């Protein structure tokens, strides 16, 4: 369906979607937990299987929804970005280090020293974009140290999915790979 908004950011999860309004409120719709509206204000948002987390202006993180593995625990921060996987959450600190919480059964929620400029959590993995445009991935699909094949970067953006990750180069090319 079409949702008229206006919205400034969108975060699709497995069974729900959340979007930020211009005032920073989280409007959510869909099935299950994690789809509850939140007043905010927030500056960034990410949704997963059954939970959602959002970064507040002061860098603290609010999470709501399923908390089976501790994936929806609020975090004091400060953080600049949050990224949600299936049952884990990771957040980027101002110094580029990564804090993760929730299901770590495959190593996907293991803290990383970085420094990274961006993070992306997928189903069983998390990836971080390094200062030089290289990518580190950890967790099940990143267990071999996932690096791009075909086009080694440097990348300007990364995105981790269910069983692969992709990087966008400055020239606009995309390279996707699967770890392990």
């Amino acid at each position: 369906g079409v949702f008229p908004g206006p919205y400034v950011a969108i975060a699709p999860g497995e069974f729900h979607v959340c979007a930020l309004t211009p005032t920073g409120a989280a409007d959510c719709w869909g099935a299950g937990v994690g789809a509850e509206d939140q007043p905010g204000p927030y500056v960034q948002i990410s949704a997963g299987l059954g939970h959602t987390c959002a970064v507040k202006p002061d860098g603290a993180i609010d999470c709501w929804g399923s908390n089976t593995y501790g994936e929806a625990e609020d975090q004091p921060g400060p953080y600049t970005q949050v990224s949600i996987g299936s049952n884990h959450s990771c957040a980027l600190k101002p110094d580029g280090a990564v804090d993760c919480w929730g299901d770590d059964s495959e190593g996907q929620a293991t803290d990383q020293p970085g420094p990274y400029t961006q993070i992306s959590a997928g189903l069983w993995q998390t990836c971080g974009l390094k200062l030089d445009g290289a990518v580190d991935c950890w967790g099940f699909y990143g267990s071999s140290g996932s690096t791009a094949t075909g086009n080694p970067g440097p990348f300007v953006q990364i995105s981790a999915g269910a069983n692969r990750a992709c990087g966008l180069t400055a020239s606009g090319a995309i390279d996707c790979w699967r770890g392990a």
Side-chain angles (χ1 to χ4, degrees):
V2 175
F3 300 89
Y7 297 108
V8 297
I10 188 166
E14 184 75 19
F15 299 108
H16 70 287
V17 176
C18 290
L20 291 182
T21 69
T23 63
D27 283 353
C28 300
W29 57 93
V33 296
E36 299 87 8
D37 292 348
Q38 300 292 321
Y42 302 111
V43 296
Q44 193 255 326
I45 192 166
S46 184
L49 177 64
H51 75 293
T52 304
C53 294
V55 180
K56 296 164 71 170
D58 68 359
I61 293 178
D62 284 348
C63 296
W64 58 94
S66 175
N67 197 30
T68 305
Y69 302 94
E71 68 270 30
E73 296 291 328
D74 291 349
Q75 302 294 315
Y79 297 103
T80 60
Q81 181 201 353
V82 65
S83 188
I84 306 305
S86 177
N87 293 312
H88 75 288
S89 306
C90 292
L92 186 65
K93 293 173 145 184
D95 68 359
V98 178
D99 286 345
C100 298
W101 58 98
D103 181 10
D104 194 33
S105 59
E106 301 293 337
Q108 71 272 28
T110 302
D111 293 350
Q112 300 292 319
Y116 299 104
T117 61
Q118 182 209 345
I119 55 170
S120 182
L123 181 63
W124 298 107
Q125 68 179 350
T126 305
C127 296
L129 181 64
K130 297 168 84 174
L131 296 171
D132 64 0
V135 174
D136 286 338
C137 295
W138 54 95
F140 181 71
Y141 289 107
S143 61
S144 66
S146 266
T147 55
T149 56
N151 185 350
F155 297 106
V156 296
Q157 181 185 352
I158 55 163
S159 185
N163 63 3
R164 68 189 69 249
C166 297
L168 175 68
T169 68
S171 67
I174 294 174
D175 186 28
C176 297
W177 61 95
R178 180 176 177 166

